[in-house]
Amino acid sequence: MENAPFFDDIADGPAGTAHWITTADGLRIRVAHWTGADVKGTVLLFPGRTEYIEKYGTAAAELLARGYASIVIDWRGQGLADRTSNVAAMGDVAEFSDYQHDVTAAVAHARALNLPEPFYLMAHSMGGCIGLRALHNGLPVAAAAFSAPMWGVILSPLLRPFAWIASTIATKIGKGTIMSPGQTTQSFVLRETFEANTLTNDPDVFATLKSQLTAHPELGLGGPSLRWLNGSLREMRRLSKMPSPDVPCCTFLGTSEAIVDPERIHIRMDNWSNGTLHMIEGGKHEVMMEAPKVRTHVFDTLTAHFDQHR
């Protein structure tokens, strides 16, 4: 196994180990894991768009304190993983289904490391879209949890048809690697103030996110390409028409969510026979990175869920 960089100086968690792994279609992605003595299983942490492994150092600490190892992926096109376009700061993927190559490679890597099973899924935002598809594909987990999953996104009624039309045309004529309109190459947390942010109510967390990208700007990512936009819209629509997998599931959603579509989440969870939706009063998009009391509740609840399905 080839070691990869891991920035302990910003991870704010236990010592982690990162490796480079190669997907079936030939891209190099970065994967990191945390483990300890007498752990009960391993959580596959699927990050959201623009995220990077070190952002999940605190989550790894919370999980390890409750007896779970974890493994986190730098998805293709973000973090330190290979890019699929010539603009490193633009989020891009050739086909949305390509993320499943990353999932397959990460699961194989977890087994090569002999990380303890059973495996569990904890997927945030875009990772929730990738994770739901992975469950349909037979992801080998005993139970799943989602945080503000991207099963739909909030778009104004006027913008939605434009997003569909522009991204579809651009992709069909070979211009899909152009940045989506209104987006920039600068990371959201570096260009936004705490007061206007849609991620967290905790000023210390928001300051940490800024400091991480200031210390290691190579981890940052701006807006998505038009083909990423088109692929994500199509994947969310396809998934919305599919039944929920027969996997025990709990999902967390803040009442102040302003990025993903709460209605899609409510519809999905209302029809997930062995699923439970936990509403976080006042919570924004990053419920795992909210105020300490909220974080404790979220990690206590999701690991209790995993404990039930060992």
Side-chain angles (χ1 to χ4, degrees), residues 5-263:
F6 180 80
F7 303 125
D8 278 307
D9 56 316
I10 63 168
D12 195 23
T17 302
H19 293 101
W20 297 117
I21 60 175
T22 302
T23 64
D25 59 340
L27 267 71
R28 188 176 75 161
I29 64 172
R30 187 175 63 133
V31 179
H33 71 279
W34 294 263
T35 190
D38 302 320
V39 292
K40 298 178 282 189
T42 300
V43 179
L44 311 176
L45 280 164
F46 286 10
R49 200 191 76 79
T50 79
E51 295 185 331
Y52 43 90
I53 285 168
E54 286 80 3
K55 186 175 177 179
Y56 284 82
T58 54
E62 297 279 8
L63 291 169
L64 202 54
R66 292 163 176 80
Y68 287 90
S70 58
I71 185 166
V72 189
I73 307 169
D74 267 354
W75 301 116
R76 60 184 59 208
Q78 60 192 62
L80 297 185
D82 280 352
R83 299 300 194 254
T84 54
S85 80
N86 294 326
V87 182
M90 178 178 65
D92 182 62
V93 66
E95 299 284 347
F96 209 84
S97 59
D98 290 345
Y99 288 121
Q100 298 304 317
H101 292 308
D102 302 356
V103 172
T104 300
V107 171
H109 183 63
R111 286 181 165 153
L113 291 168
N114 292 316
L115 291 178
E117 297 191 43
F119 293 153
Y120 302 88
L121 173 65
M122 179 61 200
H124 172 65
S125 197
M126 182 186 80
C129 184
I130 297 168
L132 181 56
R133 173 62 67 181
L135 290 177
H136 280 295
N137 290 347
L139 185 71
V141 295
F146 295 92
S147 160
M150 193 186 80
W151 296 336
V153 292
I154 296 175
L155 291 171
S156 73
L158 293 176
L159 183 59
R160 185 173 295 276
F162 173 78
W164 270 101
I165 294 168
S167 64
T168 299
I169 292 174
T171 301
K172 285 184 176 180
I173 65 174
K175 300 295 184 181
T177 54
I178 295 172
M179 180 77 75
S180 295
Q183 300 293 315
T184 74
T185 56
Q186 188 176 27
S187 171
F188 171 81
V189 299
L190 293 181
R191 70 175 190 267
E192 196 55 87
T193 64
F194 169 72
E195 290 73 20
N197 97 91
T198 53
L199 301 179
T200 178
N201 289 296
D202 190 322
D204 292 335
V205 168
F206 195 71
T208 295
L209 297 179
K210 280 184 177 289
S211 66
Q212 287 178 337
L213 294 181
T214 300
H216 293 282
E218 64 271 34
L219 296 174
L221 198 69
S225 68
L226 280 166
R227 68 178 179 179
W228 182 95
L229 175 61
N230 191 252
S232 67
L233 290 172
R234 292 182 183 279
E235 177 69 343
M236 288 183 284
R237 185 171 64 179
R238 285 190 291 262
L239 288 170
S240 72
K241 298 177 180 179
M242 299 174 69
S244 296
D246 186 22
V247 176
C249 169
C250 70
T251 294
F252 300 89
L253 177 65
T255 60
S256 296
E257 175 62 51
I259 296 174
V260 299
D261 187 352
E263 182 180 6

Side-chain angles (χ1 to χ4, degrees), residues 40 43 62-63 65-68 120-122 142-145 248-250 252 276 278 295-310:
K40 298 178 282 189
V43 179
E62 297 279 8
L63 291 169
R66 292 163 176 80
Y68 287 90
Y120 302 88
L121 173 65
M122 179 61 200
C249 169
C250 70
F252 300 89
T276 304
H278 299 276
R295 291 200 298 270
T296 298
H297 167 68
V298 168
F299 282 101
D300 282 349
T301 302
L302 74 89
T303 51
H305 170 65
F306 293 160
D307 288 343
Q308 284 185 315
H309 301 285
R310 290 181 61 192

